[in-house]
Coordinates of all heavy atoms in Angstrom, one line a residue:
A1 N 60.4 65.3 -140.8 CA 59.4 66.3 -140.2 C 59.2 65.9 -138.7 O 59.2 66.8 -137.8 CB 58.1 66.2 -140.9
A2 N 59.0 64.7 -138.4 CA 58.7 64.3 -137.0 C 59.9 64.6 -136.1 O 59.7 65.1 -135.0 CB 58.3 62.8 -137.0
F3 N 61.1 64.2 -136.5 CA 62.3 64.4 -135.7 C 62.7 65.8 -135.6 O 63.2 66.2 -134.6 CB 63.4 63.4 -136.1 CG 63.2 62.0 -135.7 CD1 62.8 61.0 -136.5 CD2 63.4 61.7 -134.3 CE1 62.6 59.7 -136.1 CE2 63.2 60.4 -133.9 CZ 62.8 59.4 -134.8
L4 N 62.5 66.6 -136.7 CA 62.8 68.0 -136.6 C 61.9 68.7 -135.6 O 62.4 69.5 -134.8 CB 62.7 68.6 -138.0 CG 63.2 70.1 -138.1 CD1 64.7 70.1 -137.9 CD2 62.9 70.6 -139.5
F5 N 60.6 68.4 -135.6 CA 59.7 69.0 -134.7 C 60.1 68.6 -133.3 O 60.2 69.4 -132.3 CB 58.3 68.6 -135.0 CG 57.3 69.0 -133.9 CD1 56.9 70.3 -133.9 CD2 56.8 68.1 -133.0 CE1 56.0 70.7 -132.9 CE2 55.9 68.5 -132.0 CZ 55.5 69.8 -132.0
S6 N 60.3 67.3 -133.1 CA 60.6 66.7 -131.7 C 61.9 67.3 -131.2 O 62.0 67.7 -130.0 CB 60.6 65.2 -131.8 OG 61.0 64.7 -130.5
G7 N 62.9 67.3 -132.1 CA 64.2 67.8 -131.6 C 64.2 69.3 -131.3 O 64.8 69.7 -130.3
L8 N 63.6 70.1 -132.1 CA 63.5 71.5 -131.8 C 62.7 71.8 -130.6 O 63.0 72.7 -129.8 CB 62.9 72.3 -133.0 CG 63.8 72.3 -134.3 CD1 63.1 73.0 -135.4 CD2 65.1 73.0 -133.9
F9 N 61.7 71.0 -130.3 CA 60.9 71.1 -129.1 C 61.8 70.9 -127.9 O 61.7 71.7 -126.9 CB 59.8 70.0 -129.1 CG 58.8 70.1 -128.0 CD1 57.8 71.1 -128.0 CD2 58.7 69.1 -127.1 CE1 56.9 71.2 -127.0 CE2 57.8 69.2 -126.0 CZ 56.9 70.2 -126.0
K10 N 62.6 69.9 -127.9 CA 63.6 69.6 -126.8 C 64.6 70.7 -126.7 O 65.1 71.0 -125.6 CB 64.2 68.3 -127.0 CG 63.3 67.1 -126.9 CD 64.1 65.8 -127.2 CE 63.2 64.6 -127.0 NZ 62.2 64.4 -128.1
L11 N 65.0 71.3 -127.8 CA 66.1 72.3 -127.8 C 65.6 73.7 -127.4 O 66.3 74.5 -126.8 CB 66.8 72.4 -129.1 CG 67.6 71.2 -129.5 CD1 68.1 71.3 -130.9 CD2 68.8 71.0 -128.5
V12 N 64.4 74.1 -127.8 CA 63.9 75.4 -127.6 C 63.3 75.6 -126.2 O 63.5 76.7 -125.6 CB 62.8 75.7 -128.7 CG1 62.1 77.0 -128.4 CG2 63.5 75.8 -130.0
L13 N 62.6 74.7 -125.7 CA 62.0 74.8 -124.4 C 63.0 74.8 -123.2 O 64.0 74.1 -123.3 CB 60.9 73.7 -124.1 CG 59.6 73.8 -124.9 CD1 58.7 72.6 -124.5 CD2 58.9 75.1 -124.8
S14 N 62.7 75.6 -122.2 CA 63.6 75.5 -121.0 C 63.4 74.1 -120.4 O 62.4 73.5 -120.6 CB 63.2 76.6 -120.0 OG 61.9 76.4 -119.5
H15 N 64.3 73.8 -119.5 CA 64.2 72.5 -118.9 C 63.0 72.3 -118.1 O 62.3 71.3 -118.1 CB 65.5 72.3 -118.0 CG 65.6 70.9 -117.4 ND1 65.8 69.8 -118.1 CD2 65.4 70.5 -116.1 CE1 65.8 68.7 -117.4 NE2 65.6 69.1 -116.1
E16 N 62.6 73.4 -117.4 CA 61.4 73.3 -116.5 C 60.1 73.2 -117.4 O 59.2 72.4 -117.1 CB 61.3 74.6 -115.7 CG 62.4 74.7 -114.6 CD 63.7 75.0 -115.1 OE1 63.8 75.6 -116.2 OE2 64.7 74.6 -114.5
K17 N 60.0 73.9 -118.5 CA 58.9 73.8 -119.4 C 58.8 72.4 -120.0 O 57.8 71.9 -120.3 CB 58.9 74.9 -120.4 CG 58.5 76.3 -119.8 CD 58.5 77.3 -120.9 CE 58.1 78.7 -120.3 NZ 58.1 79.7 -121.4
Y18 N 60.0 71.9 -120.4 CA 60.0 70.6 -121.0 C 59.6 69.5 -120.0 O 58.8 68.6 -120.4 CB 61.4 70.2 -121.6 CG 61.3 69.0 -122.4 CD1 60.8 69.1 -123.7 CD2 61.8 67.8 -122.0 CE1 60.7 67.9 -124.5 CE2 61.7 66.6 -122.7 CZ 61.2 66.7 -124.0 OH 61.0 65.6 -124.8
I19 N 60.0 69.6 -118.8 CA 59.5 68.6 -117.8 C 58.0 68.7 -117.6 O 57.4 67.7 -117.4 CB 60.3 68.9 -116.4 CG1 61.7 68.4 -116.5 CG2 59.6 68.2 -115.3 CD1 62.5 68.8 -115.3
A20 N 57.5 69.9 -117.6 CA 56.0 70.1 -117.5 C 55.3 69.4 -118.7 O 54.2 68.9 -118.5 CB 55.7 71.6 -117.5
A21 N 55.9 69.4 -119.9 CA 55.3 68.8 -121.0 C 55.6 67.3 -121.2 O 54.7 66.6 -121.7 CB 55.8 69.5 -122.3
Q22 N 56.7 66.9 -120.7 CA 57.1 65.5 -120.8 C 57.6 65.0 -119.4 O 58.7 65.3 -119.0 CB 58.2 65.3 -121.8 CG 57.8 65.7 -123.2 CD 56.9 64.8 -123.9 OE1 56.9 63.6 -123.6 NE2 56.0 65.3 -124.7
D23 N 56.9 64.1 -118.8 CA 57.2 63.6 -117.5 C 58.5 62.9 -117.4 O 59.2 62.9 -116.4 CB 56.1 62.7 -117.0 CG 54.8 63.4 -116.7 OD1 54.8 64.6 -116.5 OD2 53.7 62.7 -116.7
W24 N 58.9 62.2 -118.4 CA 60.1 61.4 -118.4 C 61.4 62.2 -118.1 O 62.3 61.8 -117.5 CB 60.3 60.6 -119.7 CG 60.7 61.4 -120.9 CD1 59.8 61.9 -121.8 CD2 62.0 61.9 -121.3 NE1 60.5 62.7 -122.7 CE2 61.8 62.6 -122.5 CE3 63.3 61.7 -120.8 CZ2 62.9 63.2 -123.1 CZ3 64.3 62.3 -121.4 CH2 64.1 63.0 -122.6
A25 N 61.3 63.5 -118.5 CA 62.5 64.4 -118.4 C 62.8 64.7 -116.9 O 64.0 65.0 -116.6 CB 62.3 65.7 -119.1
A26 N 61.8 64.5 -116.0 CA 62.1 64.8 -114.6 C 63.0 63.7 -114.0 O 63.8 64.0 -113.1 CB 60.8 64.8 -113.8
D27 N 63.0 62.5 -114.6 CA 63.9 61.4 -114.1 C 65.2 61.3 -114.9 O 66.0 60.5 -114.5 CB 63.1 60.1 -114.3 CG 61.9 60.0 -113.4 OD1 61.8 60.7 -112.4 OD2 60.9 59.3 -113.8
A28 N 65.3 62.1 -115.9 CA 66.5 62.1 -116.7 C 67.5 63.2 -116.3 O 67.1 64.2 -115.7 CB 66.2 62.3 -118.2
P29 N 68.8 63.0 -116.6 CA 69.7 64.1 -116.3 C 69.4 65.4 -117.1 O 68.7 65.3 -118.2 CB 71.1 63.6 -116.8 CG 70.9 62.1 -117.0 CD 69.4 61.8 -117.2
R30 N 69.7 66.5 -116.6 CA 69.4 67.8 -117.2 C 69.9 67.9 -118.6 O 69.2 68.5 -119.5 CB 69.9 68.9 -116.3 CG 69.5 70.3 -116.8 CD 70.0 71.3 -115.8 NE 69.4 72.6 -116.1 CZ 68.2 73.1 -115.7 NH1 67.5 72.3 -114.9 NH2 67.8 74.3 -116.0
W31 N 71.0 67.2 -119.0 CA 71.6 67.3 -120.3 C 70.9 66.4 -121.3 O 71.1 66.6 -122.5 CB 73.0 67.0 -120.3 CG 73.4 65.7 -119.7 CD1 73.7 65.4 -118.4 CD2 73.3 64.4 -120.3 NE1 73.9 64.1 -118.2 CE2 73.7 63.4 -119.3 CE3 73.0 64.0 -121.6 CZ2 73.7 62.1 -119.6 CZ3 73.1 62.6 -121.9 CH2 73.4 61.7 -120.9
A32 N 70.1 65.5 -120.8 CA 69.5 64.4 -121.7 C 68.6 65.0 -122.8 O 68.7 64.7 -124.0 CB 68.8 63.3 -121.0
P33 N 67.5 65.8 -122.4 CA 66.6 66.3 -123.5 C 67.4 67.1 -124.6 O 67.1 66.9 -125.8 CB 65.6 67.1 -122.7 CG 65.6 66.5 -121.4 CD 67.0 66.1 -121.1
P34 N 68.2 68.1 -124.2 CA 68.9 68.8 -125.3 C 69.8 67.9 -126.1 O 70.0 68.1 -127.4 CB 69.8 69.9 -124.6 CG 69.2 70.0 -123.2 CD 68.5 68.7 -122.9
A35 N 70.5 66.9 -125.5 CA 71.3 66.0 -126.3 C 70.5 65.1 -127.2 O 70.9 65.0 -128.4 CB 72.1 65.1 -125.3
I36 N 69.4 64.6 -126.8 CA 68.5 63.8 -127.6 C 67.9 64.7 -128.7 O 67.8 64.3 -129.9 CB 67.4 63.2 -126.8 CG1 68.0 62.2 -125.8 CG2 66.3 62.5 -127.7 CD1 67.0 61.7 -124.8
G37 N 67.6 66.0 -128.4 CA 67.0 66.9 -129.4 C 68.1 67.2 -130.5 O 67.7 67.3 -131.6
T38 N 69.3 67.3 -130.1 CA 70.4 67.6 -131.1 C 70.5 66.4 -132.0 O 70.6 66.5 -133.2 CB 71.7 67.8 -130.3 OG1 71.6 69.0 -129.5 CG2 72.8 68.1 -131.3
L39 N 70.5 65.2 -131.4 CA 70.6 63.9 -132.3 C 69.4 63.9 -133.2 O 69.5 63.5 -134.4 CB 70.6 62.7 -131.4 CG 71.9 62.5 -130.6 CD1 71.8 61.4 -129.6 CD2 73.1 62.4 -131.5
E40 N 68.2 64.2 -132.7 CA 67.0 64.2 -133.6 C 67.1 65.2 -134.7 O 66.7 64.8 -135.9 CB 65.8 64.4 -132.7 CG 65.5 63.2 -131.8 CD 64.3 63.5 -130.9 OE1 63.8 64.6 -130.8 OE2 63.8 62.5 -130.3
V41 N 67.5 66.4 -134.4 CA 67.6 67.4 -135.5 C 68.7 67.0 -136.5 O 68.5 67.0 -137.7 CB 68.0 68.8 -134.9 CG1 68.3 69.8 -136.0 CG2 66.8 69.3 -134.1
L42 N 69.8 66.5 -136.1 CA 70.9 66.0 -137.0 C 70.4 64.8 -137.8 O 70.7 64.7 -139.0 CB 72.1 65.7 -136.2 CG 72.9 66.8 -135.6 CD1 74.1 66.3 -134.7 CD2 73.4 67.8 -136.7
G43 N 69.6 63.9 -137.2 CA 69.1 62.8 -137.9 C 68.1 63.2 -138.9 O 68.0 62.7 -140.1
A44 N 67.2 64.2 -138.6 CA 66.2 64.7 -139.5 C 66.9 65.3 -140.8 O 66.5 65.1 -141.9 CB 65.4 65.8 -138.9
I45 N 68.0 66.0 -140.5 CA 68.8 66.6 -141.6 C 69.4 65.5 -142.5 O 69.4 65.5 -143.7 CB 69.8 67.6 -141.1 CG1 69.1 68.8 -140.5 CG2 70.8 68.0 -142.2 CD1 70.0 69.7 -139.7
G46 N 70.0 64.5 -141.7 CA 70.7 63.5 -142.4 C 69.9 62.5 -143.2 O 70.5 61.9 -144.2

């Protein structure tokens, strides 16, 4: 439940909206939040 929510949050929001919600994303490469979100969703399923 936790990782599905977190992963979908990273995948659904635009990069700009995600940065507004999570400060760390401003310092990360643009691809990092969706990549982490994908890993979290796959982990939640797994």
Side-chain angles (χ1 to χ4, degrees):
F3 281 106
L4 189 62
F5 174 78
S6 176
L8 289 175
F9 186 71
K10 290 175 179 76
L11 291 172
V12 171
L13 290 182
S14 69
H15 186 67
E16 292 73 25
K17 287 184 181 178
Y18 190 75
I19 288 174
Q22 298 289 325
D23 292 336
W24 70 267
D27 298 333
R30 187 174 187 86
W31 55 264
I36 295 167
T38 300
L39 292 173
E40 290 176 346
V41 169
L42 290 173
I45 293 167

